[in-house]
Amino acid sequence: MKALHLDIWSDIACPWCYVGKRRFEAALSRFPHRDHVTITWRSFELDPSAPPIQDGGVSYAERLGRKYGKSTADAQAMIDSMTEVARQDGLDFRFDRIAPGNTFHAHRLLHLAKSQGRGDEAKERLFRAYFTEGRAMGDLATLNALGTELGLADVEATLASDAYAKDVRRDESDAQELGIRGVPFFVLASRYGVSGAQSPEVLLGALEEAWKGLSDDPAAAQDGDVCGPDGCT
Amino acid sequence: MKALHLDIWSDIACPWCYVGKRRFEAALSRFPHRDHVTITWRSFELDPSAPPIQDGGVSYAERLGRKYGKSTADAQAMIDSMTEVARQDGLDFRFDRIAPGNTFHAHRLLHLAKSQGRGDEAKERLFRAYFTEGRAMGDLATLNALGTELGLADVEATLASDAYAKDVRRDESDAQELGIRGVPFFVLASRYGVSGAQSPEVLLGALEEAWKGLSDDPAAAQDGDVCGPDGCT
């Protein structure tokens, strides 16, 4: 029996990642073999050097404007555009209340959730907390509350220690090895890479092709053979 | 009107690359939009440190055995297996006469051929020269003869200089950035990555999905949006 595994690299403080999650879910709902699909959310920090809470006194539009060398008004237009795109995928982005900051600890919390089989729910909860509720992903008290609300065990102990720090860093070094520099990035069956918040149609097509590429026939294992510096498979 | 571009990373001294070329050609022959497909062969050296001519006195099976810590007999079994796989794709691999060596200059010749619109024919000619005819890819006189046979201009001057060296190295650094560590590796529409000598069915599916992902509609350009360290598209 076939099983299709996906690795999806993603940050929480990543608009296209949340949009991409919805589009992927739409694709999955139309995929006949969705019950044989497993997903692992992999950590990716867009800004590993961000402070826990960033720029308390500056509006998101002003910070974005400074970053891109645009006026605050132009940056606000970019924000409004992203908000509308997200709205079309059923998401309520509230950039007026967004609280940016370092997401490393949030990713550790996601790894804890994954270890308890709650990876997908935790990912969704943190996305909504960040983009709609204006909760600060860099604030440990916030993360504690969210983890507790999810019903996870060992939340406080995890966040107070450096548990899962290695897991986050391994996801990030794996991304670097794969040459992933933008998220979301989908890897299907360790074979197909799909970059970005593609439409549900494109993602469904990728699921179908990845499924076709799987085989119950060991003789077909020669598919995907490569030669590398250490020899050929 | 849509156009689908493929970049295919490949070495000449790469058995799976030649097999993968045949399988890809089989897929392309069944692809309805094949007249809108363009291909660029990208350079990849499996062994950049190989001498021009390698191990003149040792059989290929013995060298392979030493490399993998196997007996010569076991290595010969691996070779026979690869030969049979290639035969099923219509290729005549003659490992008894193969002449391994550094392929950097051969890749420069391929770039010359590409610049004259003959990239695909040159790739095919060098594969056959290496795998079936026992010609040495690291020998400049051999490469001169093959380039001349192909009817390319400026073969001697190119091989005598360092023309296209930068092009070969750029292909290789691009591969490194993309995290490509085994060949063949297909990149379709700069968006989908497919690793290895996949079956024609899998490659045809990839062509179909890549084609679907292309669009004449600028509004669909938001597909594939990502957020990166420098911001979101």
Side-chain angles (χ1 to χ4, degrees):
Chain A
M1 193 171 75
K2 299 204 276 190
L4 174 54
H5 185 74
L6 271 70
D7 290 282
I8 309 178
W9 272 265
S10 168
D11 197 356
I12 300 124
C14 167
W16 283 120
C17 296
Y18 199 9
V19 170
K21 183 178 191 285
R22 279 292 179 274
R23 293 177 180 179
F24 175 72
E25 288 160 355
L28 200 59
S29 72
R30 292 152 53 184
F31 183 56
H33 310 286
R34 58 188 165 280
D35 292 339
H36 299 282
V37 175
T38 55
I39 296 153
T40 300
W41 292 97
R42 308 291 297 275
S43 304
F44 190 99
E45 289 173 88
L46 287 166
D47 189 1
S49 65
I53 307 289
Q54 192 163 47
D55 277 352
V58 182
S59 75
Y60 193 76
E62 190 174 345
R63 183 182 323 105
L64 211 66
R66 287 183 195 172
K67 184 173 182 174
Y68 287 115
K70 291 181 182 294
S71 67
T72 303
D74 283 352
Q76 186 61 51
M78 287 168 60
I79 288 166
D80 293 344
S81 171
M82 186 75 229
T83 302
E84 176 57 23
V85 164
R87 191 192 66 76
Q88 290 174 17
D89 277 288
L91 298 170
D92 181 21
F93 279 14
R94 295 296 305 273
F95 286 105
D96 56 315
R97 54 166 73 147
I98 205 167
N102 192 284
T103 59
F104 187 75
H105 298 307
H107 281 293
R108 293 198 298 115
L109 178 64
L110 289 177
H111 271 277
L112 172 72
K114 181 170 75 175
S115 77
Q116 296 174 21
R118 308 290 307 290
D120 202 70
E121 289 103 307
K123 188 76 182 178
E124 180 63 30
R125 186 66 191 91
L126 294 196
F127 269 143
R128 188 169 83 251
Y130 181 71
F131 281 109
T132 303
E133 300 172 358
R135 311 281 286 278
M137 293 298 102
D139 177 58
L140 288 176
T142 299
L143 296 175
N144 260 302
L146 289 164
T148 302
E149 181 198 306
L150 280 163
L152 299 174
D154 306 324
V155 174
E156 198 165 348
T158 292
L159 289 172
S161 66
D162 69 348
Y164 300 104
K166 285 187 183 153
D167 299 74
V168 176
R169 292 195 188 102
R170 184 176 54 232
D171 284 353
E172 295 178 336
S173 66
D174 285 352
Q176 197 170 6
E177 275 196 24
L178 288 172
I180 295 167
R181 286 168 296 174
V183 282
F185 195 96
F186 304 81
V187 176
L188 299 85
S190 303
R191 178 188 289 173
Y192 296 91
V194 177
S195 173
Q198 306 276 352
S199 68
E201 290 68 36
V202 168
L203 291 172
L204 179 59
L207 285 166
E208 288 163 348
E209 286 320 308
W211 184 263
K212 270 195 243 173
L214 301 174
S215 175
D216 298 307
D217 177 4
Q222 70 191 40
D223 287 356
D225 285 294
V226 291
C227 296
D230 295 332
C232 300
T233 56
Chain B
M1 192 172 74
K2 298 205 276 190
L4 172 55
H5 184 76
L6 269 70
D7 290 281
I8 309 177
W9 272 266
S10 167
D11 197 355
I12 300 125
C14 167
W16 284 120
C17 296
Y18 198 9
V19 169
K21 183 177 190 285
R22 279 292 177 276
R23 292 177 179 180
F24 175 72
E25 286 159 355
L28 199 59
S29 71
R30 291 153 52 185
F31 183 56
H33 310 286
R34 60 188 163 279
D35 292 339
H36 299 282
V37 175
T38 55
I39 295 153
T40 300
W41 292 95
R42 307 291 297 276
S43 304
F44 189 98
E45 288 173 88
L46 286 166
D47 188 1
S49 65
I53 307 290
Q54 192 161 50
D55 278 354
V58 183
S59 75
Y60 193 76
E62 189 173 347
R63 184 182 323 105
L64 211 66
R66 287 183 194 173
K67 183 174 185 175
Y68 288 114
K70 291 177 183 295
S71 67
T72 303
D74 283 352
Q76 187 61 50
M78 286 168 60
I79 288 166
D80 293 343
S81 171
M82 187 74 229
T83 302
E84 176 56 24
V85 165
R87 192 194 64 76
Q88 289 174 18
D89 279 288
L91 298 171
D92 181 21
F93 278 14
R94 296 296 305 272
F95 285 104
D96 57 315
R97 53 166 74 147
I98 206 167
N102 192 284
T103 58
F104 187 76
H105 299 305
H107 281 292
R108 291 197 301 114
L109 178 64
L110 289 176
H111 272 277
L112 172 72
K114 180 169 75 174
S115 78
Q116 296 173 19
R118 309 290 309 291
D120 202 71
E121 290 103 308
K123 187 76 183 178
E124 180 63 30
R125 187 66 192 92
L126 294 196
F127 269 143
R128 188 170 83 252
Y130 182 70
F131 281 109
T132 304
E133 300 172 359
R135 311 281 286 277
M137 293 297 102
D139 178 58
L140 287 177
T142 299
L143 295 174
N144 260 301
L146 288 164
T148 301
E149 182 198 306
L150 279 162
L152 300 173
D154 306 323
V155 174
E156 198 164 349
T158 292
L159 289 172
S161 66
D162 69 350
Y164 300 104
K166 283 186 185 156
D167 299 75
V168 176
R169 293 195 187 101
R170 184 175 53 231
D171 283 354
E172 294 178 336
S173 65
D174 285 352
Q176 197 169 6
E177 275 196 24
L178 287 172
I180 294 167
R181 284 168 298 173
V183 282
F185 196 95
F186 304 81
V187 176
L188 298 86
S190 304
R191 177 187 291 173
Y192 296 92
V194 177
S195 173
Q198 306 277 352
S199 67
E201 290 70 36
V202 168
L203 291 171
L204 179 58
L207 285 166
E208 288 164 348
E209 286 321 306
W211 184 263
K212 270 196 243 172
L214 301 172
S215 174
D216 299 306
D217 177 5
Q222 71 191 41
D223 288 358
D225 284 295
V226 290
C227 296
D230 295 331
C232 302
T233 55

